[in-house]
């Protein structure tokens, strides 16, 4: 068992430490209105990193990020705009690809969306 855990840690050597939850629950939202959230992280590695790409699961989620390198021990953020287009409960995954990492980091937006009365 210890060998399996050690192998996983060697394979998945993340240089990222999220300073907040990787899931943000907006609570109750209004259909077609615009909302924002920032996911904050720190480069805990020994080399500069950069965000290579961010892939949201749909067009209702629009990420914004800097293409500048993030130096070791530095903080950075990903700002996400969310415009819900369906009523009911929703959970939207966002994949974040960092330089030097084989596996994407995953973020999530959750909400319950209602029509405006």
């Amino acid at each position: 068992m210890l060998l399996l855990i050690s192998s996983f840690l060697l394979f998945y050597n993340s240089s990222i430490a999220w300073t907040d939850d990787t899931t943000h629950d907006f609570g109750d939202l209004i259909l077609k209105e615009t909302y924002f959230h920032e996911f904050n992280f720190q480069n805990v590695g020994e080399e500069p990193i950069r965000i290579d790409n961010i892939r949201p699961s749909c067009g209702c989620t629009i990420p914004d990020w800097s293409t500048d390198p993030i130096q070791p021990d530095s903080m950075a953020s990903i700002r996400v705009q969310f415009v819900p287009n369906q009523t009911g409960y929703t959970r939207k995954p966002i994949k974040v690809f960092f330089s030097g990492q084989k596996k994407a980091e995953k973020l999530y937006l959750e909400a319950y969306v209602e029509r405006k009365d």
Side-chain angles (χ1 to χ4, degrees):
M1 180 69 149
L2 183 57
L3 180 59
L4 179 63
I5 293 170
S6 298
S7 298
F8 175 76
L9 291 175
L10 286 174
F11 175 74
Y12 188 69
N13 188 12
S14 179
S15 298
I16 303 304
W18 296 97
T19 58
D20 306 314
D21 277 341
T22 55
T23 298
H24 177 70
D25 186 352
F26 281 106
D28 294 341
L29 301 182
I30 303 298
L31 183 71
K32 305 285 186 189
E33 296 212 1
T34 302
Y35 301 91
F36 294 93
H37 179 71
E38 279 194 12
F39 290 98
N40 300 298
F41 63 93
Q42 181 177 12
N43 177 357
V44 294
E46 297 177 5
E47 299 292 326
I49 58 169
R50 79 174 63 236
I51 298 172
D52 288 336
N53 194 11
I54 298 179
R55 283 194 247 162
S57 62
C58 70
C60 63
T61 307
I62 303 166
D64 184 34
W65 70 94
S66 173
T67 57
D68 295 337
I70 302 140
Q71 299 301 318
D73 295 324
S74 293
M75 302 288 290
S77 63
I78 298 166
R79 187 170 194 233
V80 181
Q81 176 182 322
F82 179 54
V83 182
N85 56 13
Q86 298 180 59
T87 58
Y89 172 77
T90 187
R91 179 176 165 99
K92 301 294 182 183
I94 304 163
K95 291 183 179 181
V96 182
F97 296 88
F98 287 94
S99 60
Q101 286 188 206
K102 293 181 180 182
K103 188 173 181 181
E105 300 277 333
K106 292 182 183 172
L107 305 173
Y108 299 92
L109 297 178
E110 293 181 339
Y112 185 82
V113 183
E114 300 172 332
R115 292 188 186 279
K116 190 174 187 177
D117 292 334

